[in-house]
Amino acid sequence: MVMAVVLLETSSMGFILPIAQCDLHLTNVDKGVLSAISFLGIISSSHLWGFLADTKGRRKVMRPTLLATFTVTILSSFAPNFWAMVMLRFLNGFFLASTATIYAYLGEFHTDKTRSRAIMGSAFIFAIGAMILPMIAFLVINQDWVLHLTFIGIDYKPWRLFVIVCGIPGFLCGLSLFFLPESPKFLLAVGDEKKAIEVLKKMHRWNGGGKRLPNITNILPDEDDVVISTLKFSNNFDSNSNFAIVFLQTMWNQTVPLFQRRYLLITIIICNIQFWLFVITNGLYMWFPHIINSMAAFMQEHPGEHRQICEIVYAQEKNLYKNDGSIECINKLENSTYYYSFIMEILYASSFAFIGLIINHVGKKLILFISMIFFTSCGLVSIFIADPTIAAYLYVLFFLVGVAINVLGAATVDLYPTHLRAMAGCISLMIGRLGSVVGANIAGALMGQYCEWNFYIACGAMYVCGFLVLLLPRKSPEAAAKSEA
């Protein structure tokens, strides 16, 4: 559900922008900025949250930031203009970035045997949560009521309520972390063996182990677990030190190993793949409701007529933005827009369920390669198909390349030791969110006149990434060295 929170908080903007363009006076460029600004907030703080999660604890970081995210979400629903919305959605992303820690948090409750299946199982739950997004949008946005809040100068319409509804799961996740324990592997790594044993006993009890608890007196740490205690910036801090300098120096020391010889190739490949995956699944996806809504309106107005996706987009742009500078207001999205969004989420959930069943047998590298090449091909073919219905389904399949993000997340957990795992996850997702910013803004700039180039650029890069996957090792450098020994 924490993973679903990120999707609900960021992707909800794709449904909001076509409806809010008159209330917030949005151009295509403005829509690109609003699509990307949450991801810019995520980028700005990912490094910080990754560092704190590796030194202070996974749970300690996620709990307050999820609650802060919801607070900012409520405020953003009352934003009176474009710039207020930009500022508040940036803050929303700033706190939301901590959720990248969830991969390390979940993975550290599992052994190598079950870790990948657990992460893919959570991805299936995430996909089920994502299915709620178009359903919520349909139920909330397509209402007709308006509240005139003259004291802050806005008309409170259903799209504003939709912003809050999409933030509620984050609030519930923040509360739930008060009842869930800290990662036992993290506790052991920082030398708190007693608490780690207490967590293991609690897990044993919760998972049906019965009242008779195992008698654990001590735990043998992994080779990579003994390092974290030396990374706490508090250990390097004394009364004569400058706190900010020590803090930044320790954060730097925590980051540098990711780019040293042992991990450099792994880090570069993972960050590059994440960048282009997010260009598509977050950046270009922000325009998915807009494009599908344009296609649905075209099919309704011109039944039986055949045109390519981008030809339809160009025609709709002329209808929306008049020559006299006025904007045609859209109060509701076409029902077909919700239908195709719902179909996408069903396919996402099915893909995650299927991958969860085969991941231990087939391997993460092969799954990544096949999914990236196949779904990218669907997207590239979609812009050449003149039948709008077939093109729409291929366009939907294009975004299923996003299943690779969770598989890559599982691979990242395996390829780094405990003391670097959360930082590696946050850095790679930070680069990914940079792709979201780039994708959303480039799409906004190109959509009106050069729509096809969105597909050419993204698909070409994704083909390259598919082959880069094959260069990733199967095990972390430590595990490989241990096996050879």
Side-chain angles (χ1 to χ4, degrees), residues 96-111:
L96 193 62
S98 70
T99 55
T101 306
I102 199 66
Y103 287 109
Y105 180 70
L106 173 62
E108 287 170 0
F109 281 95
H110 289 266
T111 62

Side-chain angles (χ1 to χ4, degrees), residues 255-465:
T255 308
V256 166
L258 299 177
F259 298 93
Q260 289 177 342
R261 185 177 177 182
R262 175 175 280 191
Y263 298 107
L264 181 61
L265 181 62
I266 296 173
T267 302
I268 289 174
I269 291 174
I270 287 176
C271 287
N272 189 61
I273 295 170
Q274 288 283 34
F275 178 89
W276 287 105
L277 283 173
F278 275 79
V279 164
I280 295 171
T281 57
N282 282 346
L284 299 187
Y285 176 78
M286 287 299 182
W287 295 88
F288 175 81
H290 172 82
I291 291 176
I292 288 292
N293 199 62
S294 298
M295 295 177 72
F298 173 82
M299 286 187 278
Q300 189 172 349
E301 294 167 9
H302 309 277
E305 189 173 331
H306 285 191
R307 277 196 199 176
Q308 294 176 351
I309 288 179
C310 288
E311 291 175 343
I312 295 172
V313 169
Y314 297 147
Q316 289 299 111
E317 284 293 305
K318 290 180 181 178
N319 294 335
L320 284 177
Y321 297 97
K322 309 295 183 183
N323 293 329
D324 60 2
S326 62
I327 303 174
E328 182 176 326
C329 296
I330 299 174
N331 296 316
K332 294 182 180 181
L333 295 176
E334 299 288 339
N335 288 342
S336 296
T337 304
Y338 300 111
Y339 165 76
Y340 284 111
S341 298
F342 189 64
I343 290 295
M344 181 195 295
E345 304 305 344
I346 290 176
L347 292 173
Y348 252 120
S350 304
S351 299
F352 285 132
F354 178 68
I355 291 172
L357 292 174
I358 66 169
I359 192 167
N360 280 356
H361 304 288
V362 176
K364 292 179 276 292
K365 285 173 65 172
L366 184 58
I367 290 172
L368 283 168
F369 179 76
I370 292 174
S371 61
M372 289 163 71
I373 297 299
F374 175 74
F375 293 125
T376 299
S377 299
C378 291
L380 191 59
V381 170
S382 70
I383 61 171
F384 297 107
I385 301 295
D387 186 322
T389 303
I390 296 174
Y393 280 111
L394 287 171
Y395 184 52
V396 166
L397 287 173
F398 177 43
F399 290 100
L400 293 189
V401 74
V403 299
I405 293 174
N406 296 83
V407 181
L408 192 61
T412 303
V413 171
D414 288 342
L415 292 173
Y416 293 93
T418 305
H419 68 284
L420 297 175
R421 199 169 279 155
M423 179 64 84
C426 286
I427 291 289
S428 66
L429 288 174
M430 177 184 77
I431 300 298
R433 268 71 186 248
L434 178 61
S436 304
V437 174
V438 171
N441 280 286
I442 287 180
L446 297 178
M447 195 61 68
Q449 293 179 304
Y450 306 101
C451 163
E452 294 89 352
W453 278 97
N454 286 319
F455 293 85
Y456 297 153
I457 294 169
C459 292
M462 192 50 59
Y463 282 130
V464 174
C465 290

Side-chain angles (χ1 to χ4, degrees), residues 62-79:
M62 286 189 291
R63 189 171 57 191
T65 51
L66 280 168
L67 298 177
T69 298
F70 181 62
T71 302
V72 176
T73 294
I74 293 174
L75 293 175
S76 66
S77 78
F78 293 93

